[in-house]
Amino acid sequence: NAGVTQTPKFRILKIGQSMTLQCTQDMNHNYMYWYRQDPGMGLKLIYYSVGAGITDKGEVPNGYNVSRSTTEDFPLRLELAAPSQTSVYFCASRPGQSYEQYFGPGTRLTVT
Amino acid sequence: AQSVSQHNHHVILSEAASLELGCNYSYGGTVNLFWYVQYPGQHLQLLLKYFSGDPLVKGIKGFEAEFIKSKFSFNLRKPSVQWSDTAEYFCAVIPTGANNLFFGTGTRLTVIP
């Protein structure tokens, strides 16, 4: 199994541009998550999904959107990039019967 | 507000020194507890977890943690650190029945050879 994969690894955006961060897992996990990690702040939850077609906001959802059309994929959309969205973004997944989350390698995003 | 606190932001140790990193949480009910490690430039990896049973849990690479319910704590320990333990360590908590993990702000460990 590849586990949780994320693309791209790095991206530089200009203010106002849009992009989609991709996340795919091949473990048939129901739950998927998007976090952002800022220095000294730990991980903050952006959005999560408990299954295909179901998403919900986390702690810091403003400026982001998600969709979950399949079990495997959970893309994160930034519509109008702002410098405050400069961060490292991690996707994670877990099966329904366990609380342990499995993390992807991350996407480092810079907005200038 | 519910939270996870990691008291040490940056810890610097010499090789072979003993390590203890503090973690406290503020949830009142049953919780599930984790320690994750993030090596430089890498993603988070699970060190150990506690769901129930023996409050002293052992993880990978010689790490262990003790759950003390009365103190709402889940401190991470290692008797003798190595240079390769240099990393950032995150405590995380998920209340039973909840959907989300709540993370502490992390502790950066630097081990000097």
Side-chain angles (χ1 to χ4, degrees), chain A:
Chain A
N1 287 349
V4 181
T5 57
Q6 292 181 237
T7 57
K9 286 187 168 53
F10 304 94
R11 184 73 186 268
I12 299 174
L13 280 182
K14 293 190 186 307
I15 294 171
Q17 286 185 318
S18 302
M19 78 163 294
T20 299
L21 282 65
Q22 302 291 347
C23 175
T24 300
Q25 53 92 8
D26 62 358
M27 297 174 282
N28 201 34
H29 286 172
N30 294 332
Y31 291 76
M32 295 188 74
Y33 302 84
W34 274 107
Y35 296 91
R36 58 177 288 170
Q37 182 183 28
D38 300 305
M41 301 292 289
L43 277 75
K44 301 290 186 185
L45 181 65
I46 305 172
Y47 271 96
Y48 69 97
S49 168
V50 302
I54 307 169
T55 62
D56 207 347
K57 295 177 180 179
E59 190 177 356
V60 290
N62 291 345
Y64 306 95
N65 277 302
V66 293
S67 59
R68 184 95 181 271
S69 56
T70 66
T71 299
E72 294 79 17
D73 300 307
F74 190 41
L76 178 72
R77 178 86 178 156
L78 283 72
E79 290 295 349
L80 291 170
S84 61
Q85 294 177 305
T86 293
S87 189
V88 182
Y89 292 84
F90 288 101
C91 180
S93 72
R94 72 171 174 95
Q97 67 274 27
S98 170
Y99 289 110
E100 179 182 344
Q101 292 189 15
Y102 298 78
F103 284 82
T107 295
R108 184 174 294 275
L109 175 67
T110 302
V111 182
T112 62

Side-chain angles (χ1 to χ4, degrees), chain B residues 4-79:
Chain B
V4 181
S5 299
Q6 292 183 243
H7 317 296
N8 313 102
H9 295 293
H10 189 191
V11 173
I12 302 172
L13 294 172
S14 298
E15 272 192 319
S18 63
L19 170 72
E20 180 159 2
L21 301 182
C23 173
N24 287 89
Y25 62 93
S26 63
Y27 306 100
T30 306
V31 293
N32 306 275
L33 301 152
F34 302 83
W35 276 97
Y36 282 88
V37 60
Q38 187 178 29
Y39 297 105
Q42 297 190 26
H43 61 97
L44 275 76
Q45 303 171 40
L46 183 69
L47 262 185
L48 48 79
K49 60 191 175 188
Y50 173 81
F51 294 158
S52 63
D54 189 344
L56 184 62
V57 293
K58 296 190 183 301
I60 60 171
K61 304 187 180 186
F63 285 91
E64 65 178 31
E66 184 175 13
F67 171 51
I68 303 179
K69 189 173 180 181
S70 61
K71 295 185 178 180
F72 298 87
S73 70
F74 190 55
N75 292 355
L76 181 71
R77 299 196 291 248
K78 185 170 183 179

